[in-house]
Amino acid sequence: MKIFNIPSNSSTFTGFILLGFPCRREGKILLFVLFSVVYLLTLMGNGSIICAVHWDQRLHTPMYILLANFSFLEIWYVTSTVPNVLANFLSDTKIISFSGCFLQFYFFFSLGATECFFLAVMAFDRYLAICQPLHYPTIMTRHLCTNLVVSCWVLGFIWFLIPIIIISQMSFCGSRIIDHFLCDPGPLLTLTCKKAPVIELVFNILTPLPVFMLFLFIMGSYALVLRAVLRVPSAAGRRKSFSTCGSHLAVVSLFYGSVIVMYGSPTSKHEAGKQKTVTLFYSVVTPFLNPMIYSLRNKDMKKALKKFWGS
């Protein structure tokens, strides 16, 4: 693949070059087909959960309302990257405009932060259902559930608003080549004409902060759930309690496991391949697997999905 070193004073260059996944033409075609299939299956899987929750009256409970919103979020999360990756496979220049790059950066990280908030709220819902079963209907009302959903979206999109405004006003020099398949703040900051340690510090704090704070909240919630479940006298009761949390714990493990590897461990400029792999896992693979995880061990969801596809 030919890469051109474009001068910083070029008047014709109006964006960045996303290297994506450099390979031969045959490899690009194979990856294009693979990403297209995964993307379509992700849309179908998460869309099916949304439709099943909407049409099945038995699923009009806080747990499934949160799940439907989470599936809606996953559709937009994967859409913030994959269409551009597919276009990149077919492009010779691989250029993304400045505005397109910053919009992708903002929406990708805002949706990622929103996912962290949703996972925390879903853990809180399971804590109330298992640890406070008698008070659950009066605490987790439709009104509270709606407020929690709105709060997740608002907080997620506010979190990165100021940083993206700051970085979008900076000047960029050199080749403007980003060795990634999306506009990541790390490679972007290395391309600035003037180093800004304060801004880098802000990003290094803001990016992992919601991840680790909400991860601790989720682990704390499930520690209390585990303590409550172990006090259940019957084995059948314990299995039933664990089954309601197993799917959510699996999703939390997949998402947070890869995110913590990405942002919780020190990385260097020589680890571009690792960064792409880990980012690909939590931004594409996890949304693809989530519908299967949530429907695999949930009898109500299985029945609703069979009814939906049967109709």
Side-chain angles (χ1 to χ4, degrees):
M1 185 178 68
K2 295 181 180 179
I3 301 294
F4 298 95
N5 189 31
I6 301 172
S8 59
N9 60 354
S10 172
S11 60
T12 59
F13 188 66
T14 58
F16 299 100
I17 296 175
L18 285 177
L19 290 186
F21 301 94
C23 57
R24 307 181 80 170
R25 181 169 180 80
E26 295 79 7
K28 289 180 183 178
I29 295 174
L30 179 62
L31 287 173
F32 179 86
V33 173
L34 179 62
F35 272 75
S36 298
V37 171
V38 170
Y39 181 56
L40 290 174
L41 289 176
T42 302
L43 297 184
M44 289 175 60
N46 286 284
S48 297
I49 289 179
I50 295 171
C51 293
V53 173
H54 177 72
W55 283 329
D56 195 323
Q57 294 291 330
R58 295 172 302 172
L59 302 184
H60 289 187
T61 62
M63 183 178 81
Y64 292 108
I65 291 171
L66 290 172
L67 178 58
N69 278 273
F70 186 74
S71 296
F72 180 73
L73 165 68
E74 293 289 63
I75 289 174
W76 286 106
Y77 192 40
V78 74
T79 301
S80 68
T81 56
V82 173
N84 189 70
V85 172
L86 294 175
N88 195 293
F89 286 134
L90 303 177
S91 173
D92 292 325
T93 59
K94 303 187 181 301
I95 292 177
I96 182 172
S97 66
F98 285 116
S99 58
C101 183
F102 293 125
L103 279 174
Q104 185 193 56
F105 169 33
Y106 174 64
F107 278 102
F108 177 75
F109 281 91
S110 295
L111 289 166
T114 305
E115 180 156 346
C116 291
F117 286 112
F118 262 109
L119 289 173
V121 168
M122 292 166 80
F124 175 66
D125 174 71
R126 290 301 83 207
Y127 160 76
L128 288 178
I130 294 174
C131 297
Q132 305 287 337
L134 298 178
H135 300 289
Y136 178 74
T138 57
I139 297 175
M140 187 57 76
T141 60
R142 182 67 66 89
H143 179 69
L144 177 61
C145 184
T146 302
N147 287 340
L148 289 173
V149 168
V150 173
S151 298
C152 288
W153 285 101
V154 172
L155 289 172
F157 275 80
I158 285 178
W159 198 266
F160 284 96
L161 188 58
I162 294 177
I164 190 62
I165 292 174
I166 294 173
I167 197 173
S168 65
Q169 302 302 313
M170 301 176 74
S171 301
F172 298 88
C173 301
S175 63
R176 294 176 183 170
I177 295 173
I178 299 176
D179 190 5
H180 213 308
F181 63 88
L182 56 83
C183 290
D184 190 80
L188 274 174
L189 288 172
T190 61
L191 297 177
T192 55
C193 299
K194 185 179 179 181
K195 297 303 176 185
V198 175
I199 295 178
E200 290 186 25
L201 180 63
V202 169
F203 273 105
N204 289 334
I205 293 174
L206 279 181
T207 302
L209 191 60
V211 174
F212 289 106
M213 285 179 59
L214 295 172
F215 179 70
L216 290 174
F217 176 82
I218 292 171
M219 290 298 99
S221 298
Y222 276 109
L224 296 174
V225 167
L226 179 62
R227 188 179 68 173
V229 169
L230 292 176
R231 291 177 177 176
V232 176
S234 66
R238 287 195 295 270
R239 281 196 300 270
K240 183 178 180 181
S241 298
F242 275 126
S243 67
T244 62
C245 303
S247 300
H248 186 249
L249 272 175
V251 172
V252 168
S253 301
L254 284 173
F255 180 76
Y256 274 99
S258 53
V259 169
I260 289 174
V261 167
M262 182 69 183
Y263 297 105
S265 58
T267 57
S268 69
K269 62 181 180 181
H270 304 293
E271 297 175 327
K274 175 187 173 183
Q275 292 182 26
K276 290 181 192 178
T277 303
V278 176
T279 305
L280 184 68
F281 189 83
Y282 72 77
S283 65
V284 178
V285 178
T286 302
F288 167 68
L289 294 176
N290 285 351
M292 291 181 278
I293 293 172
Y294 278 115
S295 60
L296 205 59
R297 298 181 61 187
N298 191 309
K299 293 180 180 179
D300 292 334
M301 181 56 69
K302 279 183 182 178
K303 290 178 183 178
L305 287 172
K306 285 181 181 178
K307 183 179 179 181
F308 166 70
W309 285 110
S311 61

